[in-house]
């Protein structure tokens, strides 16, 4: 019952997508829009969000090629970081009625470690359930664009490559297919947004989606009360 109450009092919105899809830029814009609309907003990311989770993020992105991180170890590290993140940051914020905007969450684990790494999705879902205590985003925005475009943006925007940047284009294409498959299974929660457009057009659509969705949630709660 507690998890249900937390999700009603606060709203948990996640942004997902392949590398170079523009999540970081768009989540900052959404935070500004919602803050200006009078909402209390927390902007965070995964892996990361707390000191321990950020330390795990560093391990994941900079691991030495002399000791490759196995797919299962990678997944378990991500889930450990998520457990810290949910326990110490996300759930407390939701209890206070905050709108939590998170750059990546469980769907990234299913797309990257499940579809692309080949780990069993049922195992990942069960482990994720343990790590999050059953917390699921209320709304997930999937920024979708061709992998070649995303990787070109990434190369143009960043300096040294991290471990994920060095993965093959085939790997990233599988990640994209994973996100699209997940969205097809949960159309009520996950909304696909064309990210192969000017940033302002994407910002406008995301604003419309989120504010419209929040208005519908308020109307639904009023009818139930």
């Amino acid at each position: 019952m507690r998890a249900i109450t937390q999700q009603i009092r606060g709203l948990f919105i996640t942004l997902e997508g392949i590398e170079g899809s523009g999540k970081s830029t768009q989540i900052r814009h959404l935070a500004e829009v919602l803050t200006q609309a009078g909402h209390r907003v927390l902007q965070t990311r995964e892996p990361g969000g707390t000191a321990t989770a950020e330390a795990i993020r560093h391990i994941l992105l900079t691991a030495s090629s002399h000791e490759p991180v196995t797919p299962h170890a990678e997944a378990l590290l991500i889930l450990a970081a998520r457990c810290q993140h949910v326990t110490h940051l996300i759930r407390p914020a939701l209890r206070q009625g905050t709108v939590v905007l998170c750059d990546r969450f469980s769907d990234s684990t299913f797309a990257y470690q499940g579809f692309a790494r080949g780990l069993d999705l049922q195992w990942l879902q069960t482990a994720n359930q343990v790590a999050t205590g059953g917390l699921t985003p209320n709304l997930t925005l999937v920024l979708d664009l061709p992998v070649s475009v995303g990787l070109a943006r990434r190369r143009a925007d960043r300096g040294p490559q991290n471990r994920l940047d060095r993965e093959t284009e085939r790997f990233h294409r599988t990640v994209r297919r994973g996100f699209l498959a997940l969205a097809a299974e949960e159309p009520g929660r996950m909304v696909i947004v064309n990210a192969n457009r000017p940033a302002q057009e994407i910002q406008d659509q995301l604003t419309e989606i989120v504010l419209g969705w929040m208005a519908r949630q308020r109307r639904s709660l009023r009818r139930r009360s």
Side-chain angles (χ1 to χ4, degrees), residues 10-22:
L11 295 174
F12 186 24
I13 301 172
T14 58
L15 270 72
E16 298 283 8
I18 63 169
E19 308 301 315
S21 58

Side-chain angles (χ1 to χ4, degrees), residues 19-225:
E19 308 301 315
S21 58
K23 294 180 289 72
S24 299
T25 299
Q26 296 300 338
I27 204 168
R28 286 194 298 269
H29 169 74
L30 274 178
E32 292 172 3
V33 167
L34 293 173
T35 300
Q36 290 170 3
H39 297 282
R40 179 189 299 163
V41 178
L42 170 66
Q43 181 183 332
T44 188
R45 68 176 183 177
E46 285 217 345
T50 70
T52 300
E54 289 289 338
I56 294 172
R57 178 188 181 90
H58 178 75
I59 293 171
L60 284 164
L61 296 182
T62 63
S64 170
S65 59
H66 298 298
E67 184 186 345
V69 177
T70 71
H72 281 92
E74 181 180 68
L76 290 167
L77 284 168
I78 289 168
L79 291 167
R82 182 166 301 141
C83 185
Q84 292 293 109
H85 193 200
V86 168
T87 301
H88 296 292
L89 189 65
I90 295 177
R91 282 196 184 279
L94 292 175
R95 281 196 294 268
Q96 295 170 5
T98 302
V99 178
V100 177
L101 300 176
C102 191
D103 183 342
R104 298 199 184 283
F105 196 65
S106 303
D107 296 299
S108 275
T109 305
F110 305 145
Y112 279 83
Q113 282 69 50
F115 283 86
R117 296 288 191 214
L119 297 184
D120 182 73
L121 275 173
Q122 186 173 354
W123 177 80
L124 283 172
Q125 290 163 353
T126 300
N128 184 71
Q129 184 84 358
V130 173
T132 64
L135 182 66
T136 302
N138 299 105
L139 175 67
T140 297
L141 305 166
V142 182
L143 302 185
D144 181 58
L145 77 170
V147 168
S148 58
V149 176
L151 293 181
R153 287 182 183 176
R154 190 72 172 218
R155 287 191 293 268
D157 292 343
R158 294 179 63 106
Q161 291 188 327
N162 64 42
R163 194 169 62 86
L164 280 178
D165 291 330
R166 293 191 290 270
E167 291 290 351
T168 66
E169 188 165 329
R170 180 180 179 182
F171 173 89
H172 291 289
R173 285 198 301 269
T174 307
V175 170
R176 183 191 184 194
R177 287 197 297 272
F179 279 125
L180 296 177
L182 292 166
E185 291 178 2
E186 291 193 69
R189 174 176 68 86
M190 301 180 73
V191 180
I192 299 172
V193 176
N194 176 13
N196 194 20
R197 296 179 291 163
Q200 186 61 55
E201 289 184 22
I202 303 168
Q203 289 176 8
D204 292 343
Q205 184 180 4
L206 291 178
T207 299
E208 181 181 356
I209 291 170
V210 171
L211 293 182
W213 181 86
M214 293 174 75
R216 290 192 296 274
Q217 295 301 304
R218 286 194 294 271
R219 288 195 295 270
S220 176
L221 286 174
R222 282 198 296 268
R223 285 196 296 269
R224 280 183 269 170
S225 60

